Amino acid sequence: MKRIIYLFLCLTLPAAVQSCLIEEKDIFEESAVERVEAYLNSYKTLLSSNEDCWLLEYYAEEEQSYGGYVYILKFEDEQVTAYFQLAEDCSRTVTSYYNLVGDDGPVLTFDTYNEYLHYFATPNITDYEALHGDYEFNVMGKSDDGSEIYLRGKKTGNSMVLRKFDKDPVEYLNAVNSVSAAMSAPGYEMTVGGTAHSCSISGNILQYAIAPSEEGAAAEEGRMAFCYTDTGIVFYEPIEIAGAEYDSFAFDTDHLVSPDGKILISKVIPPLNQLFVQSDWYIAYSTLGSYAKPYFDMVQSVEATLGEELIWAFFGSSLYGVWGFNFNSSGYGGCLGYDYQLEGEDTITMMFNMTGQGNGVWYHNEGFAYALMPFGYSSAKTFVLTSDNDDNPTEITLTDTSNPANVITLHSQMVAYPFEN
């Protein structure tokens, strides 16, 4: 009897398995490849179906260290047309190809070069690894109404969102840049409950420290990247300040204010000589006075002898924590230290203190000492400072009080290859 049952099971089991396989085949009428292709096509249709554009608030680098910047994108067929907040002319667009591919899920890739969309991923003379920007994004999903597409940078892991956008791209970007320009200042403070606290905004990064209200308590510190909008700023992710959570601040005349009105971020304008020693100010040969140029001609001769090229030079302290003459010569950097004394709000007396950082001493001995002569080498020089903008200088001019021919204008933005300027 047992044998008969066994034989019956052997005869009927293959038929049951075959029946299940037939049913399973019926459930999945499309192959896996076909299903992925259909999924990708659904996103391509969504991207190109928007008659207007898509807004992307973009964050480079794994810790969002450069802050956020705005792209406005128009998808049509296989091409994408980009507007960019950092373009010199916001009305100028750049068009290239894009694609949606399967790679452990759908990936939106801008796979042909686009000077806007690859801006943060393209190496330059100061960042040979670029700015760790993404141009490939995992598509994480979309909102129920299709007005938002959720992205994650493949390189950085940063979360970003494409949002349907129906405003005029040029007008919006100009408004964004107007808010950014209006909030640009040498310094800031954060007022919480009527008390001012330390605060900074640099590269679209907000950092703050709220002093404790009780003795012995720790200060509350925070850091968050943000994007400027046409009405204020929006944070990369919600941030908690003084017990409340915020995802944006509004712009009001010349400051930023939280939605509940409890927090105010205001501009602070320090005296010009303090600003000079607190920031980096770049040297350009074209804005050296008649006294300084012959000394820099000698530096250029030294560079020719060494077979190198001066990439940039500035006065500041950002590289080594020592204020002085900083430089990069064909990739080799150094600093030659200066002592200084501030007088009033617009006067500085400065002198080389015979110290060097990095390759500073070596280059000093090779002839870079010539570059120091106009600024005070073996004896101190006193300069009166003036600027092109009292609220937010982009240039500071040093006028030697003992030599009217020694007038030097320095620049807040990097001057690359200063001898070419």
Side-chain angles (χ1 to χ4, degrees), residues 124-128 282-283 296 299 303 306-315 319-320 324-336 357-360 362-363 368 371 414-419:
N124 57 52
I125 60 171
T126 58
D127 293 287
Y128 68 92
Y282 287 85
I283 296 170
F296 276 80
V299 174
E303 288 285 77
L306 295 174
E308 296 182 7
E309 189 171 11
L310 189 65
I311 297 177
W312 45 253
F314 68 81
F315 265 85
L319 287 183
Y320 298 95
F325 176 82
N326 297 260
F327 62 88
N328 185 306
S329 177
S330 293
Y332 300 98
C335 174
L336 296 166
Q357 306 292 324
N359 295 295
W362 188 88
Y363 277 92
F368 270 43
M414 175 181 287
V415 177
Y417 300 102
F419 286 119

Side-chain angles (χ1 to χ4, degrees), residues 56-71 84-86 116-122 127 129-137 152-160 203-205 223-227 236:
L56 176 64
E57 291 164 348
Y58 177 101
Y59 293 85
E61 208 273 330
E62 292 76 358
E63 300 297 325
Q64 306 91 47
S65 298
Y66 305 107
Y69 296 90
V70 179
Y71 288 95
F84 187 28
Q85 177 188 344
L86 296 181
Y116 290 171
L117 292 168
H118 292 82
Y119 176 87
F120 293 96
T122 303
D127 293 287
E129 293 184 339
L131 301 179
H132 288 220
D134 287 294
Y135 56 89
E136 294 184 314
F137 303 87
R152 184 175 64 200
K154 286 194 69 176
K155 177 184 290 186
T156 65
N158 291 339
S159 297
M160 299 173 234
N204 291 8
I205 302 284
R223 172 194 179 278
M224 185 57 63
F226 66 84
C227 261
Y236 172 72

Side-chain angles (χ1 to χ4, degrees), residues 50-85:
N50 185 24
E51 294 181 358
D52 297 302
C53 296
W54 296 83
L55 174 72
L56 176 64
E57 291 164 348
Y58 177 101
Y59 293 85
E61 208 273 330
E62 292 76 358
E63 300 297 325
Q64 306 91 47
S65 298
Y66 305 107
Y69 296 90
V70 179
Y71 288 95
I72 299 175
L73 308 177
K74 176 68 175 177
F75 294 89
E76 295 178 293
D77 299 324
E78 306 296 324
Q79 294 186 319
V80 57
T81 297
Y83 298 82
F84 187 28
Q85 177 188 344

Side-chain angles (χ1 to χ4, degrees), residues 127-172:
D127 293 287
Y128 68 92
E129 293 184 339
L131 301 179
H132 288 220
D134 287 294
Y135 56 89
E136 294 184 314
F137 303 87
N138 294 108
V139 179
M140 308 305 294
K142 60 183 177 62
S143 61
D144 291 340
D145 63 359
S147 63
E148 295 183 342
I149 299 176
Y150 309 118
L151 307 177
R152 184 175 64 200
K154 286 194 69 176
K155 177 184 290 186
T156 65
N158 291 339
S159 297
M160 299 173 234
V161 182
L162 276 171
R163 294 184 175 89
K164 284 189 174 181
F165 181 82
D166 59 5
K167 298 180 181 179
D168 182 273
V170 178
E171 289 182 5
Y172 182 82

Side-chain angles (χ1 to χ4, degrees), residues 205-220:
I205 302 284
L206 169 67
Q207 289 186 279
Y208 65 90
I210 300 176
S213 56
E214 298 178 1
E215 187 175 349
E220 176 187 336

Side-chain angles (χ1 to χ4, degrees), residues 25-280:
K25 183 178 180 182
D26 290 339
I27 292 172
F28 297 104
E29 295 180 356
E30 296 179 329
S31 68
V33 172
E34 290 173 329
R35 291 196 303 274
V36 170
E37 189 66 26
Y39 190 66
L40 296 176
N41 285 335
S42 71
Y43 275 100
K44 181 170 288 189
T45 299
L46 176 59
L47 286 171
S48 59
S49 65
N50 185 24
E51 294 181 358
D52 297 302
C53 296
W54 296 83
L55 174 72
L56 176 64
E57 291 164 348
Y58 177 101
Y59 293 85
E61 208 273 330
E62 292 76 358
E63 300 297 325
Q64 306 91 47
S65 298
Y66 305 107
Y69 296 90
V70 179
Y71 288 95
I72 299 175
L73 308 177
K74 176 68 175 177
F75 294 89
E76 295 178 293
D77 299 324
E78 306 296 324
Q79 294 186 319
V80 57
T81 297
Y83 298 82
F84 187 28
Q85 177 188 344
L86 296 181
E88 290 186 12
D89 178 359
C90 289
S91 67
R92 178 177 176 266
T93 61
V94 177
T95 300
S96 60
Y97 290 96
Y98 80 98
N99 205 352
L100 277 158
V101 298
D103 180 12
D104 293 330
V107 173
L108 172 63
T109 174
F110 301 105
D111 50 3
T112 59
Y113 179 72
N114 182 304
E115 66 177 282
Y116 290 171
L117 292 168
H118 292 82
Y119 176 87
F120 293 96
T122 303
N124 57 52
I125 60 171
T126 58
D127 293 287
Y128 68 92
E129 293 184 339
L131 301 179
H132 288 220
D134 287 294
Y135 56 89
E136 294 184 314
F137 303 87
N138 294 108
V139 179
M140 308 305 294
K142 60 183 177 62
S143 61
D144 291 340
D145 63 359
S147 63
E148 295 183 342
I149 299 176
Y150 309 118
L151 307 177
R152 184 175 64 200
K154 286 194 69 176
K155 177 184 290 186
T156 65
N158 291 339
S159 297
M160 299 173 234
V161 182
L162 276 171
R163 294 184 175 89
K164 284 189 174 181
F165 181 82
D166 59 5
K167 298 180 181 179
D168 182 273
V170 178
E171 289 182 5
Y172 182 82
L173 290 177
N174 284 335
V176 168
N177 285 329
S178 293
V179 174
S180 174
M183 280 305 300
S184 182
Y188 302 85
E189 66 180 13
M190 176 184 287
T191 303
V192 182
T195 303
H197 302 275
S198 176
C199 168
S200 70
I201 294 177
S202 178
N204 291 8
I205 302 284
L206 169 67
Q207 289 186 279
Y208 65 90
I210 300 176
S213 56
E214 298 178 1
E215 187 175 349
E220 176 187 336
E221 298 181 350
R223 172 194 179 278
M224 185 57 63
F226 66 84
C227 261
Y228 279 103
T229 72
D230 59 342
T231 59
I233 65 173
V234 58
F235 294 115
Y236 172 72
E237 59 186 12
I239 182 173
E240 184 175 314
I241 305 175
E245 190 173 90
Y246 304 100
D247 57 12
S248 64
F249 276 25
F251 174 69
D252 184 3
T253 309
D254 61 354
H255 56 262
L256 298 169
V257 60
S258 62
D260 57 11
K262 294 180 178 179
I263 300 175
L264 198 69
I265 298 176
S266 305
K267 299 189 292 185
V268 175
I269 312 299
L272 189 58
N273 53 6
Q274 288 186 22
L275 178 61
F276 178 57
V277 298
Q278 290 172 1
S279 307
D280 296 338

